[in-house]
Amino acid sequence: MKILACNSNRPLADAVAVILGLPLTKASIRRFADMEVFVEIQENVRGEDVFVIQPTSFPANDNLMELLVTLDALRRSSARRITAVVPYFGYARQDRKTASRSPISAKLVANLITEAGANRVLTMDLHAAQIQGFFDIPVDNLYAAPLFSRDIQERYQGRDVMIVSPDVGGVVRARAIATRLNCDLAIIDKRRERAGHSEVMNVIGDVVDRDCILVDDLVDSGGTHCNAADALIKRGARSAGAYVTHGVLSGAAVARIATSAIEMMTITDSILATDEVKRCDNIRELTIAPLLAEAMRRISDESSVSSLFD
């Protein structure tokens, strides 16, 4: 078993390697003067079970290309099995045709990863579960729900917690955590006029004097979560927090969250946090390194991954 890290999130790869007690595979991943990606594997991987860790976060296209070229390099180096470990799967929001003559880019990316040489994919909290079906290779989709549930129990001990889904599409994800915590569930009914902008329409559920926790797979502009927190407070909630797996946090998202009604937003390190994120007082980070490491170990040992979430 070998672990190879691309450049998108080296700290996460280092943490996984330490937990597994393995050194990172020596490789050079660099750019030519015109920004072409060049990859050179600097140790023997013939017949090895290789895991490539690379979230395809900002800059999404550069990081995706790094992953594809690395997969190709490993395939041509005769690696026995290549697993693309993509904690954050970019382009996942383009999982269907939203208008005439629009692409399904998530399917295109799935094809690219497969054709580049991946034998299987390990990812986390896909934006849409059906993306697993876009691949013609095995996909293991990990969940942050157990990690979030444990943290909520510790931080909100003795408080009257209510889990809230920020939209109808995230109800299944939110219900999974509400079931683990044996608490109530509320739903935000919102209307999105255009990409990146949302308007809260209604709150379904009695949130009066409750400590509400928004649960979602990703936060990008932060508008949805900030608007939802405002709506919850206006409807009588005692506090509004958030647990989100992928902290994309593009544009002015961090500044928006810093001045919002969100008491604390908890994200994971699936995406490398910027300095601005680290400085924000109401954004904190949980590591997924132990979960990733255990899933990788089980894949290598040919044992069950799904039992991690039983």
Side-chain angles (χ1 to χ4, degrees), residues 229-278:
D230 289 339
L232 291 168
I233 296 299
K234 287 177 182 177
R235 284 161 176 78
R238 184 183 295 115
S239 68
Y243 277 74
V244 186
T245 307
H246 308 297
V248 178
L249 298 171
S250 58
V254 176
R256 186 176 292 116
I257 292 166
T259 57
S260 72
I262 296 174
E263 180 182 75
M264 181 63 70
M265 175 174 282
T266 302
I267 60 175
T268 75
D269 57 352
S270 64
I271 296 173
L272 183 63
T274 64
D275 291 338
E276 187 182 16
V277 171
K278 293 175 182 176

Side-chain angles (χ1 to χ4, degrees), residues 37-41 64-75 116:
V37 177
F38 177 74
V39 176
E40 183 180 13
I41 312 300
L64 175 60
M65 200 65 201
E66 270 190 17
L67 174 63
L68 297 176
V69 176
T70 302
L71 294 173
D72 185 72
L74 289 167
R75 180 180 61 176

Side-chain angles (χ1 to χ4, degrees), residues 25-175:
T25 298
K26 295 178 183 177
S28 173
I29 303 173
R30 58 185 189 272
R31 301 288 194 277
F32 290 140
D34 63 352
M35 299 307 291
E36 281 187 13
V37 177
F38 177 74
V39 176
E40 183 180 13
I41 312 300
Q42 296 175 328
E43 60 182 82
N44 182 29
V45 294
R46 183 180 295 273
E48 296 282 0
D49 191 8
V50 185
F51 293 80
V52 183
I53 300 177
Q54 176 77 336
T56 51
S57 50
F58 176 85
N61 298 330
D62 286 356
N63 287 329
L64 175 60
M65 200 65 201
E66 270 190 17
L67 174 63
L68 297 176
V69 176
T70 302
L71 294 173
D72 185 72
L74 289 167
R75 180 180 61 176
R76 296 175 190 278
S77 301
S78 301
R80 177 174 58 85
R81 181 173 65 179
I82 306 165
T83 302
V85 182
V86 191
Y88 171 67
F89 185 80
Y91 286 94
R93 284 172 282 182
Q94 299 185 50
D95 62 310
R96 63 197 184 283
K97 284 179 69 71
T98 55
S100 300
R101 298 171 296 282
S102 63
I104 305 178
S105 302
K107 170 60 176 170
L108 172 62
V109 172
N111 288 344
L112 290 170
I113 290 173
T114 304
E115 290 300 317
N119 300 113
R120 67 185 305 129
V121 171
L122 176 62
T123 187
M124 187 166 188
D125 274 338
L126 282 171
H127 183 65
Q130 66 264 23
I131 292 173
Q132 295 173 82
F134 293 177
F135 289 88
D136 292 324
I137 55 177
V139 177
D140 292 298
N141 184 27
L142 305 180
Y143 303 100
L147 179 67
F148 285 169
S149 299
R150 287 193 298 270
D151 194 71
I152 291 170
Q153 286 175 329
E154 292 172 6
R155 288 182 61 86
Y156 287 81
Q157 190 171 16
R159 298 170 70 175
D160 189 8
V161 170
M162 173 175 266
I163 300 299
V164 182
S165 174
D167 55 36
V168 175
V171 169
V172 173
R173 184 180 297 107
R175 186 185 292 119

